[in-house]
Amino acid sequence: MTVSLLSGSTPVILIVDDDEVIRMLMRQFLESEGYAVVEAEDGHEALEKAAEQAFDLIILDIAMPGIDGPGVCEHIRSSMTDPPPVLMVTALDDERSIERSYSAGAVDYIRKPLRWPVLKNRIRYILGSHRAKQELELLSRNYEMILDAAANGICGVDDAGMISYINPAALKMLGYRNEEVRGRNCGDVFKLSLPGSEDFSEACCPYFGQPDAHATTCYDEARMLRKDGTSFPVDFRSTPIRQGQRLVGGVLVFQDVTERQEAAELIRYMANHDPLTNLPNRNYFRRRLPQAISLAKRYGRILCLLFIDLDRFKPINDQFGHGVGDIVLMQVAERLRSVLRTSDSVCRLGGDEFVILLESTETLEGSTLVAQKVIESLNEPIEANDHICFIGASIGISVFPNDCSDAETMLRHADIAMYEAKKKGRNCWQLYAPIVTTPGQSS
């Protein structure tokens, strides 16, 4: 039965014919097939019933007094947003009537006298096709609602590369209105550059130039231009759509990764910087020192490392608390920055230990001059939470290539020299000098 092909309620069919016998025979036949049937004897009654009730199919006689079948069909198609399919029934054999019926919007016609098996299968086909069309339209609307709600930018292009769909997220990211991009070539809207490049001419749909291409094109952390000429980082995917072997379009999906890049940059910064003083930390210094030694070797320069340990810092923490101690450390960091050139760097190793890496000094005296400036700067009183704090600094100096050949030795020598400065009475600097042993003396 026809009803078994369809989901939901029983299909309702409107029969419109001025012949009462035909209406009766059709009702009996259709009801035996499981359909619900409503009758109308002319065009005016048909329009009234169509306005009052929804039908799944209307079967119209072409030749009727008053408004004929094509007239009723045309009115129904023009006045309803989702009109039911119309099947014409005719005893006429002229092409003009058939042409008028199709022009009015009828989906098919069948001749009188009626052949019931033909009518049965014609109705099954029309209802099945109409239901499939409705379901496809509903599915399409649902998909479009999902795409419209997506956070990623999504764009569809046709086989000529013209934009056929673009969702609100994409429009917002690019700074366009929908009417500005629909129907435009995708290459005029999607201007891409690869990482490290400022050339925004990368093809967004490269498969149009490669007919055999099947794979998705991926650009990670590329950049894309907005309408106003500014750019932003994106992860971009472009996938060809094929029907058999024929390329029929493509789908572009992209995501603004600005926040992800900023988060990654923040993580990198936190991994390499001291959170209290914002100075580079031990992790950074462990990587930077070997690089600096390598450059000094290449250009035949000396490299000086100052290892700084604060004097009289522990009593400040014990007497005034760690809050005051933290303020002192932040002030120390600012003072150390102020005595350096931009080509030199200062790092906090932890606690009250700092290092200064001098890459621009050309003489050993340059490093001792910086060490003396540091001591003088840190001898100035520091105000912290209404407390006046006095500290100093013991500084050990190691010089590449004079007393070391690698990063680990250089740091160790500077540390040894710093302890020698403490032994001399603190608040001074000391160059590293190897311990010389005499015969019979243990080293």
Side-chain angles (χ1 to χ4, degrees):
M1 290 175 57
T2 302
V3 179
S4 65
L5 295 177
L6 305 167
S7 59
S9 59
T10 301
V12 181
I13 299 176
L14 174 63
I15 300 170
V16 186
D17 199 303
D18 59 330
D19 189 325
E20 184 179 359
V21 174
I22 293 294
R23 294 201 309 271
M24 179 189 68
L25 292 173
M26 289 182 63
R27 172 187 282 275
Q28 291 176 351
F29 172 74
L30 293 176
E31 288 180 342
S32 71
E33 289 294 318
Y35 299 110
V37 177
V38 175
E39 296 180 32
E41 64 181 18
D42 56 39
H44 290 289
E45 186 180 4
L47 293 176
E48 290 175 1
K49 291 186 181 295
E52 296 170 356
Q53 181 179 351
F55 294 99
D56 297 284
L57 173 65
I58 298 177
I59 300 177
L60 269 174
D61 186 23
I62 288 183
M64 293 187 296
I67 307 176
D68 63 3
V72 174
C73 181
E74 186 174 4
H75 191 280
I76 289 173
R77 302 293 296 180
S78 63
S79 63
M80 300 176 67
T81 55
D82 186 20
V86 174
L87 173 64
M88 289 294 190
V89 179
T90 181
L92 303 174
D93 194 20
D94 64 295
E95 291 185 5
R96 182 175 176 278
S97 298
I98 304 302
E99 199 64 40
R100 278 191 64 215
S101 297
Y102 281 122
S103 298
V107 297
D108 206 347
Y109 80 98
I110 189 170
R111 293 187 181 279
K112 296 179 182 177
L114 296 175
R115 297 171 60 192
W116 302 114
V118 174
L119 179 62
K120 171 183 173 179
N121 285 285
R122 198 69 57 86
I123 291 174
R124 286 169 63 91
Y125 175 78
I126 293 172
L127 289 177
S129 297
H130 186 63
R131 179 62 59 89
K133 175 176 174 288
Q134 289 179 317
E135 290 176 349
L136 185 61
E137 290 175 349
L138 178 61
L139 186 63
S140 178
R141 286 195 296 270
N142 288 341
Y143 278 144
E144 190 161 327
M145 288 173 61
I146 293 170
L147 296 179
D148 284 350
N152 288 352
I154 301 172
C155 176
V157 298
D158 63 19
D159 58 354
M162 302 300 178
I163 295 173
S164 56
Y165 169 80
I166 187 166
N167 74 340
L171 293 169
K172 183 177 180 181
M173 280 185 251
L174 295 170
Y176 285 103
R177 297 190 308 275
N178 189 64
E179 58 270 20
E180 293 179 301
V181 298
R182 290 286 288 269
R184 287 181 62 184
N185 188 281
C186 59
D188 295 336
V189 176
F190 295 96
K191 299 184 181 296
L192 290 163
S193 71
L194 298 183
S197 170
E198 291 299 321
D199 181 10
F200 288 87
S201 61
E202 198 67 30
C204 61
C205 298
Y207 36 81
F208 286 126
Q210 306 168 23
D212 295 331
H214 288 76
T216 296
T217 300
C218 303
Y219 300 132
D220 290 331
E221 299 197 355
R223 296 196 70 81
M224 184 183 294
L225 285 182
R226 299 184 181 92
K227 178 186 175 182
D228 63 7
T230 60
S231 66
F232 62 103
V234 292
D235 283 352
F236 186 90
R237 303 287 183 271
S238 183
T239 304
I241 300 175
R242 293 184 172 275
Q243 288 183 355
Q245 295 300 312
R246 189 167 67 92
L247 179 66
V248 296
V251 175
L252 316 181
V253 180
F254 58 97
Q255 177 185 11
D256 186 337
V257 295
T258 301
E259 290 185 2
R260 189 181 75 195
Q261 286 191 349
E262 290 175 347
E265 183 61 33
L266 178 59
I267 291 170
R268 284 193 292 270
Y269 182 87
M270 293 174 65
N272 291 289
H273 288 78
D274 171 48
L276 178 65
T277 63
N278 282 325
L279 292 177
N281 60 12
R282 181 184 291 271
N283 183 49
Y284 172 87
F285 178 71
R286 290 287 188 185
R287 294 197 312 276
R288 182 71 190 99
L289 184 56
Q291 294 171 352
I293 290 176
S294 178
L295 287 172
K297 283 181 182 178
R298 181 183 305 174
Y299 295 107
R301 299 195 303 244
I302 69 168
L303 184 68
C304 301
L305 178 64
L306 280 59
F307 194 115
I308 304 166
D309 187 87
L310 300 183
D311 299 328
R312 301 184 297 275
F313 178 71
K314 186 176 183 300
I316 292 174
N317 269 341
D318 294 342
Q319 183 176 356
F320 302 129
H322 288 280
V324 172
D326 287 348
I327 295 174
V328 170
L329 290 173
M330 288 188 285
Q331 289 291 321
V332 167
E334 287 301 316
R335 294 186 185 188
L336 293 179
R337 285 192 190 97
S338 68
V339 301
L340 297 181
R341 286 179 284 193
T342 55
S343 56
D344 302 322
S345 55
V346 56
C347 304
R348 183 188 178 197
L349 296 186
D352 59 353
E353 294 180 339
F354 299 81
V355 290
I356 290 176
L357 192 58
L358 299 177
E359 300 185 60
S360 59
T361 186
E362 298 180 355
T363 64
L364 182 61
E365 290 74 18
S367 67
T368 60
L369 179 62
V370 172
Q372 189 59 42
K373 285 183 177 179
V374 168
I375 290 170
E376 292 172 359
S377 176
L378 296 183
N379 280 338
E380 294 293 326
I382 296 175
E383 184 176 349
N385 284 356
D386 299 326
H387 299 289
I388 304 298
C389 304
F390 295 91
I391 60 171
S394 297
I395 303 176
I397 305 173
S398 177
V399 181
F400 170 87
N402 299 22
D403 60 64
C404 58
S405 60
D406 59 76
E408 184 177 350
T409 304
M410 191 174 199
L411 181 60
R412 185 173 72 252
H413 285 183
D415 188 32
I416 292 171
M418 181 272 295
Y419 277 105
E420 290 300 314
K422 285 190 178 291
K423 290 179 184 178
K424 288 173 57 176
R426 300 174 186 271
N427 206 40
C428 63
W429 55 265
Q430 177 67 45
L431 288 166
Y432 171 78
I435 298 174
V436 179
T437 60
T438 56
Q441 185 179 28
S442 60
S443 57

